[in-house]
Amino acid sequence: MKAEIHPDYHPVLFRDLASGKVILTRSTATSSKTETWEDGNEYPIIEVEISSESHPFYTGKQRIMDSAGRVERFNQRFKNFGKSSS
């Protein structure tokens, strides 16, 4: 690798806001917020809305949505849209 052309790659904490799980990994991302980890060291922490800890695909808790009902309501609502009223 060439020196001084790559971004800083350092340990970072990621907190899943949906599940509360905190993961220590390495990343080029940074944050002004810091938190002390289990090893006693302080690391930047990045809060994410969803991760593999809380995403329905990974947890197996997928919700089935009533897409047919939504389509019917949409079509009913806009069935006369764009038609001339004369």
Side-chain angles (χ1 to χ4, degrees):
M1 289 188 349
K2 291 185 178 181
E4 299 186 27
I5 64 167
H6 299 284
D8 181 32
Y9 190 65
H10 53 275
V12 177
L13 297 172
F14 284 92
R15 175 182 289 130
D16 182 341
L17 295 176
S19 70
K21 176 93 173 171
V22 180
I23 301 165
L24 175 63
T25 186
R26 296 177 53 92
S27 176
T28 59
T30 189
S31 173
S32 58
K33 294 181 185 179
T34 60
E35 190 169 297
T36 304
W37 183 242
E38 299 164 352
D39 62 3
N41 294 324
E42 197 167 299
Y43 299 105
I45 187 160
I46 298 173
E47 296 174 334
V48 294
E49 296 290 327
I50 196 162
S51 72
S52 61
E53 280 294 317
S54 60
H55 193 281
F57 179 80
Y58 296 104
T59 61
K61 298 177 182 173
Q62 294 181 341
R63 295 179 297 191
I64 298 173
M65 294 193 165
D66 178 22
S67 60
R70 287 183 177 193
V71 171
E72 291 300 321
R73 283 194 310 256
F74 178 85
N75 288 337
Q76 185 66 26
R77 185 183 217 178
F78 294 104
K79 67 181 174 185
N80 293 324
F81 186 76
K83 293 182 181 178
S84 60
S85 59
S86 35

